[in-house]
Amino acid sequence: MRALLLTASLLLIFSCKNEKDQTPHKESISKDSLVMKKDSVKTSTSEDPIDQIKKEYAALQTQLEAKKLGQSKFIYDCNDEPSGEVTFHSDKNEIKVIEHFYAEHSHFSGSEKYFIKDGKPFFIFRQETVWNFDGGTPEKPVTKDDITETRIYLQNGKPLKCLEKKYSIKSDQKEKTADNIPSKEVQCNIDKLLTTFQSLLQHKDQKGQIKCL
């Protein structure tokens, strides 16, 4: 009988010890909970890069409209090639926006606006316009502009998203806004734009008029 009692006591002791060993320490639980909480907060507060670009663009656009950025410009004329005007907008000697307008002798013109952070464009707005006569009379002709707008979102010099909008505006239209026309996502082909950006940047100290870029 004493042997049975001893055996039962030993089994009870080992059982309690195993349960204790399998129970996590309070400190370990606390650390794991803290790590999970931090990860959760990081995930919930991390901002979409496109949204961040939109905020930075809006801030620079506000400065442009309020004329709070310094300005310098030059023009170029390449005879048979496009002629244009380049404007640099700077804050504390750092270029924030480059505007580039150009036109050909035919019915074509275009413009590019580069929004810059840390020396690289993070957003590019491009607009191309082809115009033609579209009715009216010899005394009062009507023209039509076929316009293509491209919005390019970049991160570290690489495109994240490209949106395109196409529409037409006639000179006799009363309402000439294109705000209600939807954009569509397109493939990003920006090598030529980035090459142009670098060419413009090399002329940042240029003033007056030159022949060609």
Side-chain angles (χ1 to χ4, degrees), residues 19-73:
E19 289 180 2
K20 185 177 180 181
D21 291 341
Q22 292 174 6
T23 303
H25 294 294
K26 288 184 179 180
E27 183 180 356
S28 176
I29 294 174
S30 178
K31 286 183 178 179
D32 290 344
S33 299
L34 184 60
V35 170
M36 290 176 66
K37 186 175 181 180
K38 284 184 177 179
D39 289 342
S40 176
V41 170
K42 185 178 180 180
T43 301
S44 62
T45 57
S46 60
E47 189 171 17
D48 181 87
I50 300 295
D51 291 336
Q52 182 62 34
I53 289 170
K54 288 180 179 179
K55 287 183 179 180
E56 292 174 346
Y57 158 79
L60 279 181
Q61 187 64 32
T62 299
Q63 288 183 296
L64 277 177
E65 293 172 356
K67 301 185 183 303
K68 291 185 176 180
L69 298 175
Q71 186 182 111
S72 65
K73 66 174 64 179

Side-chain angles (χ1 to χ4, degrees), residues 133-143 170-173:
F133 292 107
D134 190 49
T137 64
E139 294 77 19
K140 194 174 181 180
V142 174
T143 60
K170 296 180 70 173
S171 58
D172 59 349
Q173 278 182 233

Side-chain angles (χ1 to χ4, degrees), residues 26-155:
K26 288 184 179 180
E27 183 180 356
S28 176
I29 294 174
S30 178
K31 286 183 178 179
D32 290 344
S33 299
L34 184 60
V35 170
M36 290 176 66
K37 186 175 181 180
K38 284 184 177 179
D39 289 342
S40 176
V41 170
K42 185 178 180 180
T43 301
S44 62
T45 57
S46 60
E47 189 171 17
D48 181 87
I50 300 295
D51 291 336
Q52 182 62 34
I53 289 170
K54 288 180 179 179
K55 287 183 179 180
E56 292 174 346
Y57 158 79
L60 279 181
Q61 187 64 32
T62 299
Q63 288 183 296
L64 277 177
E65 293 172 356
K67 301 185 183 303
K68 291 185 176 180
L69 298 175
Q71 186 182 111
S72 65
K73 66 174 64 179
F74 71 93
I75 59 176
Y76 64 92
D77 189 348
C78 299
N79 296 322
D80 293 335
E81 297 181 25
S83 58
E85 181 178 272
V86 182
T87 305
F88 300 93
H89 302 272
S90 305
D91 178 19
K92 298 178 181 178
N93 297 321
E94 183 179 4
I95 297 174
K96 295 293 186 179
V97 182
I98 300 177
E99 290 185 276
H100 177 211
F101 173 81
Y102 52 96
E104 296 179 357
H105 297 296
S106 61
H107 295 187
F108 173 82
S109 65
S111 65
E112 301 150 3
K113 190 179 286 189
Y114 302 85
F115 293 81
I116 304 164
K117 181 179 180 181
D118 299 328
K120 296 180 180 179
F122 65 86
F123 180 74
I124 303 174
F125 175 74
R126 183 182 188 183
Q127 184 179 84
E128 295 181 322
T129 303
V130 178
W131 71 270
N132 291 286
F133 292 107
D134 190 49
T137 64
E139 294 77 19
K140 194 174 181 180
V142 174
T143 60
K144 183 180 73 169
D145 291 345
D146 295 319
I147 301 170
T148 301
E149 294 181 355
T150 308
R151 291 167 173 80
I152 303 167
Y153 301 84
L154 304 101
Q155 188 175 55

